Amino acid sequence: MSIAVIYGGTRKNSNSEILTEHAIQGIKTEKIFLRDYNIEAIMDMRHTEQGFQDRQDDYNAIIDRILPHNILLFSTPIYWYSMSGTMKNFIDRWSQSLRDPKYPDFKEKMAAKKAFVLAVGGDDPAIKGLPLIQQFQYIFDFMKMNFDGYILGRGNKPGDILLDKEALFSAAQMNHILKG
């Protein structure tokens, strides 16, 4: 079992990062902080003669890091009832990887992975975070990935997640599953 954690938050020690750290405590993981990379927005060139072009950014380096792992954890703050823009840019670029000759079996490799989502928001995330979870469900369904669980935590100000005992308990449960 090999785990990569993809952090979509832009703030160090964010609530979503703290919650995720609880879920992976004591587990060897590869941590990828998207905020440390330049990921250009997708230029949709699916229907052009030349197809997608290399964006000259760090996106492929991230893909190269996640492909060897069989479990992916997506950690994101809930921004405007969805994932962070950084996380969305990263996932939008999967459209490019699906057609990239450097990754001829991208979808098959992704389909072999298990996925988990950890998200934290301040505006009733147990209800208003559900569209985010549904969005991830559709993404994982399209990629034929197994969606093995999620945690929605409550937090607004730095450190607020530590007051959400239910989310911390769920993170401890996820930790047992991941150690499994």
Side-chain angles (χ1 to χ4, degrees), residues 42-56:
I42 191 166
M43 282 187 95
D44 187 357
M45 300 188 71
R46 289 175 294 167
H47 307 291
T48 63
E49 196 171 306
Q50 67 270 27
F52 285 105
Q53 301 299 302
D54 189 350
R55 297 298 314 252
Q56 303 295 313

Side-chain angles (χ1 to χ4, degrees), residues 42-105:
I42 191 166
M43 282 187 95
D44 187 357
M45 300 188 71
R46 289 175 294 167
H47 307 291
T48 63
E49 196 171 306
Q50 67 270 27
F52 285 105
Q53 301 299 302
D54 189 350
R55 297 298 314 252
Q56 303 295 313
D57 63 0
D58 299 323
Y59 170 77
N60 284 348
I62 299 167
I63 292 299
D64 292 339
R65 289 181 66 189
I66 70 167
L67 284 177
H69 299 284
N70 42 12
I71 297 176
L72 302 178
L73 273 64
F74 295 83
S75 173
T76 182
I78 301 173
Y79 289 157
W80 290 101
Y81 314 101
S82 186
M83 66 185 75
S84 69
T86 307
M87 182 74 74
K88 184 74 168 82
N89 272 347
F90 172 66
I91 292 174
D92 281 351
R93 292 285 296 279
W94 290 6
S95 294
Q96 186 172 337
S97 295
L98 288 167
R99 291 172 169 79
D100 191 331
K102 288 183 259 182
Y103 304 105
D105 54 356

Side-chain angles (χ1 to χ4, degrees), residues 122-139:
D123 186 11
D124 196 12
I127 299 298
K128 295 180 180 178
L130 292 176
L132 162 71
I133 298 304
Q134 187 175 41
Q135 181 181 26
F136 272 108
Q137 179 69 64
Y138 290 143
I139 292 164

Side-chain angles (χ1 to χ4, degrees), residues 113-117 133 136-137 140 145-150:
K113 299 180 186 321
K114 294 181 179 185
F116 293 84
V117 174
I133 298 304
F136 272 108
Q137 179 69 64
F140 300 148
M145 296 169 66
N146 291 320
F147 189 8
D148 280 18
Y150 68 89

Side-chain angles (χ1 to χ4, degrees), residues 6 8 17 21 39-40 50 61 71 88 111 118 128 139 156 178-179:
I6 304 159
E17 190 175 321
E21 292 299 314
I39 306 168
E40 295 292 325
Q50 67 270 27
I71 297 176
K88 184 74 168 82
L118 298 100
K128 295 180 180 178
I139 292 164
N156 189 24
L178 293 172
K179 284 181 177 175

